[in-house]
Amino acid sequence: MNNSYNGHLVIVFALEHYNPLGHIRSLGENGINPIYISVKRKGPVACLSKYISICHHVDTVEEGYRLLISKYGDYDTEHRPYVIFSDDKSIGFFDLHFDAIKDRFIFFHAGKQGRINEFMDKQRILEIAKKHGFKVLDSWVVKLGEIPKGIEYPVITKDISPNSGSWKSDVFICENEEELKKAFANISSPVVQIQKFIDKKNEYAIEGFTINKGSHMLIGSTLTWKYLVKGYYSSYHDVTMMRDLEMRKKLNSLFAEIGFEGIFEVEFLIDQDDTYYFLEVNFRASAWNYSSAVAGMPLAYLWVQSMENGFIAKDAEKEFEDFTDMSEVIDFGKRVEGGMVSLPEWLRDFKEAKGTYYYNKNDMAPFEYLFTHWDEYK
């Protein structure tokens, strides 16, 4: 198996999930069988892919970091391994160790230790987004339990950083002060962002990558939700090309100021009047990264190729026809078990989806395991 690109090993470092499975398939389908450092999570998913050349199982990000350094950290500068991330915990940890590894690996970074963590702060990224011309919702940052002055209900609570609390478990929609106080009693993050809550028409996600200190950008796919879940995300999407050139220009200038090189996702809310409100940047691939591969743009492979070349090939970004994709187990739970559609209706949608995140006829082991452990992955 070939686990390198132009003499550089390619390593996927991530919490066990179908998110890194997208990376692994994007690389494997293009002739690179990556090394996978699988950090323990619920159960096996990505580690079952046939495209992996070597799989290391570790219990924590810290353990994985030590393994990465000891086994793959001594290559010369001209052959440093590429390291690709797909979760906040891993990218946040490596960003805080940038100085120690910048000469050993080629990885997602923003040129300075701690700079990605700075913009993982939900308030900080809103500030720079507003600077670059994006509309943002009113928001306040408070210590847990504090109620800001001038707050307008309804509001939604969020951890200030994806690594500061319990992620979706700390999300509450509050119609009044009493509900906000009750929410505080169940939030684990010591610092909370409180944001104006709108009755959204939809959500919008952009999947892509940057090189050359953020100055060059490729957009692979954009997604909107086929249905809405209050306080959660949808797992059934319309996938389209990015057609808003002004938004693209603003994004490119934002990434250039941050200096980010890596795969990203940018999230927006769409109001009932079709206003797009900037929410946040994920400085790593999202769970939906494989949608770009389905559209002909395997982000992990193209990022490595572009970093190696020093430029993004003119034909790397492709036009494609709109399609639907689905994260099968979550969508089944929300729509079939939730009573939104019948099983025959869901099976029709599943068969018509051009992209699926577990099922892949050329790499069946992850789906076969999912099928026999369905309830464990909801």
Side-chain angles (χ1 to χ4, degrees):
M1 282 188 168
N2 175 34
N3 57 14
S4 64
Y5 184 91
N6 199 23
H8 298 261
L9 292 176
V10 179
I11 302 168
V12 175
F13 187 111
L15 299 181
E16 187 60 44
H17 191 261
Y18 64 88
N19 187 330
L21 179 60
H23 281 327
I24 291 163
R25 286 172 170 169
S26 295
L27 293 164
E29 290 164 353
N30 289 278
I32 299 175
N33 299 98
I35 296 164
Y36 178 36
I37 298 178
S38 169
V39 183
K40 185 177 180 180
R41 196 170 172 265
K42 280 185 179 180
V45 181
C47 65
L48 300 175
S49 174
K50 74 174 188 179
Y51 294 115
I52 296 168
S53 58
I54 301 170
C55 187
H56 301 283
H57 294 276
V58 296
D59 289 332
T60 64
V61 170
E62 293 79 5
E63 181 186 348
Y65 174 81
R66 292 192 296 270
L67 182 147
L68 179 73
I69 296 294
S70 65
K71 293 191 74 71
Y72 304 109
D74 293 327
Y75 287 83
D76 62 80
T77 303
E78 297 300 315
H79 296 92
R80 290 174 293 162
Y82 283 93
V83 185
I84 296 172
F85 304 102
S86 63
D87 64 85
D88 295 314
K89 190 170 184 179
S90 297
I91 187 62
F93 182 90
F94 275 74
D95 178 58
L96 294 176
H97 292 77
F98 173 81
D99 291 339
I101 59 175
K102 64 182 180 181
D103 297 324
R104 293 184 167 194
F105 302 98
I106 303 170
F107 57 102
F108 303 176
H109 69 88
K112 179 181 177 183
Q113 185 159 298
R115 188 161 173 81
I116 289 178
N117 277 275
E118 176 186 348
F119 291 99
M120 287 169 75
D121 181 295
K122 287 183 169 62
Q123 197 72 6
R124 183 72 178 92
I125 194 64
L126 290 183
E127 292 169 359
I128 192 171
K130 190 173 182 179
K131 173 183 175 182
H132 287 273
F134 290 107
K135 293 185 178 180
V136 301
L137 294 166
D138 291 338
S139 59
W140 304 262
V141 178
V142 299
K143 294 180 180 178
L144 184 62
E146 290 182 353
I147 297 177
K149 294 180 180 179
I151 190 170
E152 181 182 343
Y153 295 95
V155 296
I156 185 170
T157 64
K158 302 178 182 180
D159 295 338
I160 191 60
S161 164
N163 293 327
S164 69
S166 299
W167 195 53
K168 292 295 182 183
S169 296
D170 285 349
V171 174
F172 294 90
I173 298 167
C174 307
E175 299 290 343
N176 51 54
E177 184 173 313
E178 182 179 352
E179 290 186 8
L180 180 56
K181 288 179 178 178
K182 289 180 179 178
F184 281 144
N186 293 283
I187 292 175
S188 60
S189 177
V191 179
V192 181
Q193 182 190 56
I194 302 173
Q195 191 170 68
K196 180 178 174 59
F197 179 79
I198 63 171
D199 180 21
K200 63 189 176 186
K201 183 177 182 179
N202 212 317
E203 296 187 28
Y204 183 67
I206 301 171
E207 317 295 324
F209 69 77
T210 53
I211 64 168
N212 294 332
K213 299 180 181 179
S215 61
H216 297 119
M217 179 179 73
L218 178 143
I219 301 297
S221 57
T222 70
L223 300 90
T224 51
W225 303 170
K226 298 286 281 184
Y227 61 92
L228 301 180
V229 181
K230 193 171 184 179
Y232 202 68
Y233 58 86
S234 170
S235 298
Y236 183 33
H237 317 117
D238 287 312
V239 184
T240 62
M241 294 169 49
M242 187 175 192
R243 297 182 173 91
D244 189 329
L245 298 181
E246 184 63 27
M247 180 181 285
R248 178 191 288 265
K249 183 179 178 180
K250 292 175 183 177
L251 277 182
N252 209 161
S253 65
L254 181 150
F255 282 119
E257 178 170 347
I258 294 172
F260 177 68
E261 296 184 351
I263 300 173
F264 65 79
E265 179 189 57
V266 184
E267 298 179 3
F268 293 81
L269 283 184
I270 306 175
D271 204 348
Q272 295 294 334
D273 62 1
D274 292 322
T275 300
Y276 283 66
Y277 289 102
F278 182 100
L279 286 182
E280 63 180 301
V281 175
N282 291 313
F283 293 95
R284 42 77 182 171
S286 81
W288 320 131
N289 72 84
Y290 193 68
S291 64
S292 296
V294 174
M297 290 164 282
L299 296 181
Y301 177 80
L302 290 175
W303 181 74
V304 170
Q305 180 188 67
S306 301
M307 289 290 289
E308 191 68 6
N309 291 340
F311 60 88
I312 300 171
K314 290 183 179 180
D315 62 351
E317 190 165 326
K318 302 184 183 303
E319 295 184 358
F320 62 91
E321 293 184 0
D322 299 353
F323 63 90
T324 60
D325 78 353
M326 175 189 292
S327 177
E328 307 93 305
V329 65
I330 299 175
D331 187 64
F332 183 90
K334 294 294 181 185
R335 292 204 295 148
V336 179
E337 295 180 347
M340 296 172 64
V341 298
S342 67
L343 178 58
E345 288 174 315
W346 184 85
L347 288 172
R348 180 202 62 203
D349 292 340
F350 171 71
K351 290 177 181 179
E352 291 180 354
K354 187 175 180 180
T356 48
Y357 290 95
Y358 289 90
Y359 179 83
N360 185 302
K361 65 180 181 180
N362 297 316
D363 187 29
M364 285 296 293
F367 183 78
E368 289 169 351
Y369 185 88
L370 168 73
F371 194 76
T372 58
H373 297 77
W374 193 269
D375 289 341
E376 299 172 22
Y377 287 81
K378 293 178 183 177

